Amino acid sequence: MSKIVGSIPPLVWQIIIFLIIFSSSAAGYYSGQNYADFMNRGWYTQASDSDLANPLTVLGTIGSVACAFVLVLRFPFKPAPILLMLLPVLSWLIISSAWSNTISSTAVLTLKAVIYVNALDCALRQLDAKSAFRAFSWSISAILLISLALCISDPVFRISIGADGWRGLFTQKNRLSSFCLFSIPVLMFGMRLTPISSLFTLILTAFMLVMSQGKAAIAIIGAAAIILFAVNMSWRGRGEAKTTLLVTCILFAFTFIVISSALIYQVNLGLIDFTGRARIWSWFLDDLGKDIFFGKGGLTAAQDPIFVQRAESSGMPSTSDSSYIMILYNNGIVGIFLFFATAVGICVSSINKNSRHFIYPIISVFCYIIFAATESDTRFLPYYSTYSLLALFSIAAKLRQRDQMELNA
């Protein structure tokens, strides 16, 4: 099987990366709808029930089949390092679903994560770092350019231009801002190897991030960029990376603690309400009660009839808009611990690699844990934020190995 994998052209692996990015970025949101509903929402003027599938459904299906085929080709395979990082979280997700009614949906989501992470790992192993970065930049550009075209040309999507922010292919502005947020570290990392494509995509991504009006994402990437600039300025002329990486992690941790404490303090005083988020969080915590240690199980929150009914009657969304609240509700304190353990594990592994390349995975972890406080799509599950973080770590490891080979030559 390994010979078959090795004989597949690099272009195929670049396409695999695009399919992973598209399928996990929420750009494929409409693939879950029937064709008539999809048509009514935009792109076309007339709906037709006789048509079986919309374009995004076809593309999403192709992506899933392609990634599953990669898994079959590599079977039996040694679990990839980036997959091993997720195993504790994914395992607890499955275990906790045993005392809920979400075993089947949880198993499907977990299997999807394994399939896509395996495909990502295989693609990155078969491509050199330059080709991998080029695949990421082209893929990000394609999704954002289509989103830009939709916002400008389509009357349904054009409604989002204004106070609500742009969304394009995404369900809402926060999904678009999330995609841009986790794209920027990848593009910044790729600037040295693919300067033209990375720079063009970086400018496009920054523009779309601003137009999405995602305040949290803009603030987070702004803080990360300032810290990255300060680290790079202090790094000049130094050969030891481990100390600098450790200091960076400590600085990020301190920033996270300060921001979290300030927000909690203001919420308690009633100074801010996150446009209703604080009330939703209190509902989740009130419903959790004695289940706080192990959680309700699996992916219970979205199907909890008590919460859904209360949310609908109050005109509130049936999601917490916070990964921490969602994890705590579904998987308890154990789930929260595993979430942070995974993030810390990636940082510790990055420090131990003793290479300046790993500043980018660390930056992505910082963005990850901050953004997770106000959004519920960053839980080390099949979302682009997860894959961008894993890709950064994997590419950094590839570059470190190349540097060592050149040093020993």
Side-chain angles (χ1 to χ4, degrees):
M1 290 296 185
S2 59
K3 292 182 179 180
I4 297 177
V5 172
S7 64
I8 297 176
L11 179 60
V12 174
W13 295 114
Q14 290 180 314
I15 294 174
I16 291 291
I17 288 178
F18 167 75
L19 293 173
I20 293 172
I21 292 174
F22 174 82
S23 299
S24 62
S25 65
Y29 163 68
Y30 293 100
S31 62
Q33 298 175 305
N34 61 48
Y35 190 71
D37 192 22
F38 169 77
M39 300 267 276
N40 289 332
R41 284 179 174 269
W43 288 27
Y44 304 93
T45 56
Q46 293 181 348
S48 174
D49 292 325
S50 60
D51 293 303
L52 298 178
N54 66 58
L56 298 182
T57 298
V58 174
L59 188 57
T61 302
I62 292 174
S64 298
V65 172
C67 291
F69 186 66
V70 173
L71 182 65
V72 172
L73 283 180
R74 297 187 74 187
F75 185 82
F77 66 95
K78 181 180 179 181
I82 55 177
L83 180 57
L84 291 175
M85 293 177 177
L86 302 184
L87 279 183
V89 170
L90 298 179
S91 298
W92 178 247
L93 191 62
I94 291 291
I95 294 172
S96 66
S97 69
W99 53 83
S100 71
N101 61 348
T102 61
I103 295 178
S104 58
S105 59
T106 302
V108 169
L109 186 61
T110 304
L111 179 60
K112 180 181 177 182
V114 172
I115 289 174
Y116 275 76
V117 170
N118 172 76
L120 176 64
D121 174 73
C122 194
L124 294 177
R125 285 177 182 272
Q126 299 303 316
L127 294 172
D128 59 80
K130 187 174 182 179
S131 298
F133 278 126
R134 187 176 290 114
F136 270 91
S137 61
W138 288 346
S139 301
I140 295 167
S141 289
I143 292 172
L144 293 182
L145 286 173
I146 293 173
S147 295
L148 176 61
L150 288 172
C151 288
I152 294 175
S153 64
D154 191 286
V156 176
F157 285 87
R158 196 161 59 236
I159 295 175
S160 67
I161 300 178
D164 293 333
W166 288 16
R167 59 184 175 89
L169 279 172
F170 299 80
T171 56
Q172 53 170 290
K173 68 177 186 179
N174 288 333
R175 295 292 188 265
L176 173 58
S177 67
S178 172
F179 179 71
C180 294
L181 169 63
F182 293 104
S183 295
I184 288 176
V186 177
L187 298 170
M188 292 175 67
F189 196 5
M191 282 289 293
R192 288 176 292 172
L193 296 178
T194 57
I196 296 177
S197 61
S198 293
L199 179 61
F200 167 78
T201 309
L202 185 60
I203 294 173
L204 174 63
T205 305
F207 172 74
M208 294 299 288
L209 175 59
V210 172
M211 298 307 293
S212 73
Q213 300 182 34
K215 297 183 288 296
I218 294 173
I220 290 168
I221 199 61
I226 292 173
I227 294 176
L228 176 63
F229 176 78
V231 170
N232 283 334
M233 291 298 293
S234 64
W235 213 331
R236 293 183 177 181
R238 298 183 181 181
E240 178 65 26
K242 182 174 292 188
T243 301
T244 305
L245 291 174
L246 177 60
V247 171
T248 303
C249 287
I250 294 174
L251 181 60
F252 282 152
F254 177 77
T255 304
F256 173 71
I257 293 172
V258 170
I259 293 176
S260 300
S261 301
L263 290 177
I264 293 173
Y265 177 73
Q266 293 182 69
V267 169
N268 288 335
L269 290 181
L271 300 177
I272 55 176
D273 63 1
F274 295 105
T275 61
R277 281 188 175 96
R279 180 164 41 150
I280 301 176
W281 296 348
S282 66
W283 288 352
F284 271 102
L285 295 178
D286 289 342
D287 288 345
L288 187 55
K290 63 181 181 180
D291 297 319
I292 191 169
F293 191 75
F294 295 111
K296 296 285 188 177
L299 298 170
T300 306
Q303 301 182 24
D304 190 321
I306 297 177
F307 176 79
V308 171
Q309 182 179 5
R310 182 166 50 187
E312 290 178 350
S313 63
S314 303
M316 306 295 286
S318 58
T319 175
S320 69
D321 273 342
S322 171
S323 288
Y324 299 145
I325 299 296
M326 292 291 284
I327 296 172
L328 190 61
Y329 189 87
N330 290 329
N331 315 116
I333 293 176
V334 175
I336 285 286
F337 171 80
L338 291 175
F339 177 91
F340 281 105
T342 305
V344 171
I346 292 175
C347 289
V348 170
S349 183
S350 297
I351 294 172
N352 290 337
K353 297 292 185 183
N354 195 24
S355 170
R356 65 181 302 169
H357 299 307
F358 286 91
I359 186 64
Y360 293 94
I362 291 175
I363 288 175
S364 191
V365 169
F366 167 76
C367 296
Y368 203 103
I369 62 175
I370 294 289
F371 194 72
T374 58
E375 286 298 323
S376 54
D377 66 340
T378 54
R379 294 185 293 155
F380 286 108
L381 292 175
Y383 298 105
Y384 177 64
S385 50
T386 303
Y387 297 132
S388 64
L389 172 55
L390 297 177
L392 283 169
F393 184 88
S394 183
I395 295 175
K398 182 183 286 286
L399 289 174
R400 172 182 174 271
Q401 185 179 23
R402 186 199 65 178
D403 293 346
Q404 289 181 329
M405 292 176 61
E406 292 178 353
L407 185 63
N408 295 333

